Amino acid sequence: MRILFTGGSGKAGRHATAYLRDQGHRVTNLDWAPSDTPGIAHLTTDLTDAGQVFNACRAYASPDELEPGTGVPQYDAIVHFAAIPAILHRPDNETYRINTLSTYNVLDAATKLGIPKVIFASSETTYGICFADGEVKPDYLPVDEEHPTVPQDSYAMSKVVNEVTARSFQARSGIDIYGLRINNVIEPHEYREMFPAFMENPALRRRNIFAYIDARDLGRMVECCLQTDGLGYQVFNVANDDLSVSLTSAEVIERFYPDVPLKREMEEFETFYSNEKARRLVGFVPNHSWRDELAQ
Ligand SMILES: NC(=O)c1ccc[n+]([C@@H]2O[C@H](COP(=O)([O-])OP(=O)(O)OC[C@H]3O[C@@H](n4cnc5c(N)ncnc54)[C@H](O)[C@@H]3O)[C@@H](O)[C@H]2O)c1
Ligand SMILES: O=C(O)[C@H]1O[C@@H](O)[C@H](O)[C@@H](O)[C@@H]1O
């Protein structure tokens, strides 16, 4: 497929673009920061500028696309990852402005230009736990896509708004738009750097509901979404199968969530950030675990 990927110069995007390239897709990265991923075309673009977004959607991606002499090819999908990825990087209103405007522009361009699928990065923070003032506990466990999304911070607010925007664009256009409520992204080198501290002090993972998502498995989830058509508007939690601490699920519940209702029985080390919907609807099967990474 010919894929337009936004935010491919960033942490998650670097891995996802490489994964998609390795699956045989032609990937063009739109980002205002440079990219050095081999085999990925790059177009420096400010996504808050609608003109640049519309133009990039209808532009050649690389010199070889000039050869057939048949004009600019159409993109098969947009994967939209570009964003200010948390609070505290920019003033709150700038995070909100950049994230909501960029996403509006991408969805507007995709639907008006006939691009049939958009996959966009939403966030675990929509559940209101990650960047809360003080401790907020989930309403129930495991957290699934039915859990309320009433966050208090501008970053998570921008992601909730983006989901609403996406739902409305989908209703008007009928294309497939899938939102990924991504948990905390872990790159391969971060297992050794970060996980020993999580074993020592599991409370470090409280704001992530003790979950995580391997950056390569996130690429796998994007591929699953590209391969699954016809679902209309959907949001999916994206996390690995196990917790990011060495305690069992029962031990974490006893220590951190004694009063939180359980929706169902949980397996011994099962994540509290349910990926059941992603498994069921797009066939997502994560391939990595911190246990294997640290054992190597
Ligand atoms: N890292 C995580 O743990 C995590 C978790 C959940 C969701 N997410 C979401 O996943 C996506 C990727 O996150 P990341 O950690 O790779 O962030 P990142 O900051 O490393 O990458 C984001 C990229 O987007 C680009 N960008 C931002 N605004 C832009 C604009 N207006 N125009 C052009 N380029 C722009 C940046 O230059 C950067 O390269 C984001 O949408 C983020 O909110 C990340
Ligand atoms: O976007 C998000 O949800 C992420 O933002 C990052 O900055 C946080 O460190 C991470 O825990 C969140 O998962």
Side-chain angles (χ1 to χ4, degrees):
M1 294 168 84
R2 186 171 185 260
I3 293 163
L4 194 60
F5 194 108
T6 80
S9 308
K11 176 179 182 176
R14 278 195 301 274
H15 292 277
T17 51
Y19 187 88
L20 298 178
R21 176 202 61 204
D22 294 347
Q23 303 307 303
H25 300 296
R26 294 176 62 88
V27 182
T28 306
N29 175 35
L30 300 189
D31 199 304
W32 57 23
S35 153
D36 51 12
T37 310
I40 306 293
H42 175 80
L43 196 56
T44 302
T45 310
D46 177 355
L47 298 166
T48 64
D49 178 336
Q52 292 189 39
V53 176
F54 273 76
N55 197 296
C57 284
R58 295 294 302 135
Y60 295 104
S62 53
D64 60 298
E65 290 188 342
L66 298 167
E67 285 308 320
T70 48
V72 178
Q74 174 69 300
Y75 281 106
D76 298 303
I78 302 183
V79 183
H80 173 49
F81 270 32
I84 307 305
I87 54 168
L88 309 177
H89 293 292
R90 306 255 183 150
D92 290 339
N93 58 319
E94 268 300 274
T95 302
Y96 184 88
R97 182 186 70 83
I98 292 168
N99 291 357
T100 55
L101 192 52
S102 301
T103 301
Y104 181 92
N105 289 341
V106 165
L107 291 165
D108 195 30
T111 52
K112 286 184 174 141
L113 296 175
I115 298 171
K117 181 175 283 185
V118 180
I119 299 157
F120 70 98
S122 185
S123 159
E124 63 157 324
T125 62
T126 54
Y127 294 119
I129 292 159
C130 191
F131 295 136
D133 183 14
E135 182 174 4
V136 169
K137 293 184 203 268
D139 289 5
Y140 59 81
L141 292 174
V143 173
D144 58 18
E145 292 82 353
E146 305 300 314
H147 189 285
T149 51
V150 192
Q152 300 170 4
D153 63 283
S154 78
Y155 166 74
M157 260 185 245
S158 78
K159 294 293 188 178
V160 173
V161 168
N162 288 346
E163 291 186 358
V164 174
T165 306
R167 188 171 200 151
S168 288
F169 272 112
Q170 195 283 329
R172 170 160 286 186
S173 66
I175 70 167
D176 285 339
I177 306 183
Y178 305 161
L180 308 184
R181 289 183 184 160
I182 301 165
N183 201 281
N184 181 219
V185 175
I186 304 294
E187 294 184 271
H189 67 91
E190 291 183 316
Y191 288 103
R192 280 184 190 289
E193 288 172 13
M194 296 165 62
F195 276 59
F198 305 159
M199 306 306 113
E200 277 291 303
N201 182 8
L204 292 173
R205 299 302 289 169
R206 183 175 56 73
R207 287 181 182 272
N208 306 103
I209 326 173
F210 300 92
Y212 70 110
I213 175 68
D214 182 280
R216 297 158 294 184
D217 282 331
L218 176 56
R220 185 176 296 268
M221 176 60 183
V222 173
E223 173 68 2
C224 289
C225 290
L226 289 171
Q227 297 304 334
T228 308
D229 295 331
L231 300 181
Y233 176 75
Q234 298 291 339
V235 286
F236 296 103
N237 283 356
V238 190
N240 284 74
D241 290 333
D242 53 351
L243 299 171
S244 56
V245 296
S246 50
L247 301 176
T248 64
S249 306
E251 287 167 336
V252 179
I253 289 168
E254 192 184 337
R255 198 183 299 184
F256 296 96
Y257 298 137
D259 302 323
V260 177
L262 277 186
K263 251 190 165 177
R264 58 170 170 77
E265 290 278 298
M266 300 206 54
E267 287 168 28
E268 191 176 14
F269 295 107
E270 186 183 341
T271 183
F272 294 134
Y273 198 77
S274 173
N275 61 20
E276 185 275 330
K277 183 179 176 188
R279 285 179 168 274
R280 183 164 40 86
L281 290 192
V282 301
F284 174 54
V285 180
N287 198 31
H288 295 277
S289 161
W290 64 266
R291 288 180 171 78
D292 300 335
E293 298 291 327
L294 292 190
Q296 278 170 19

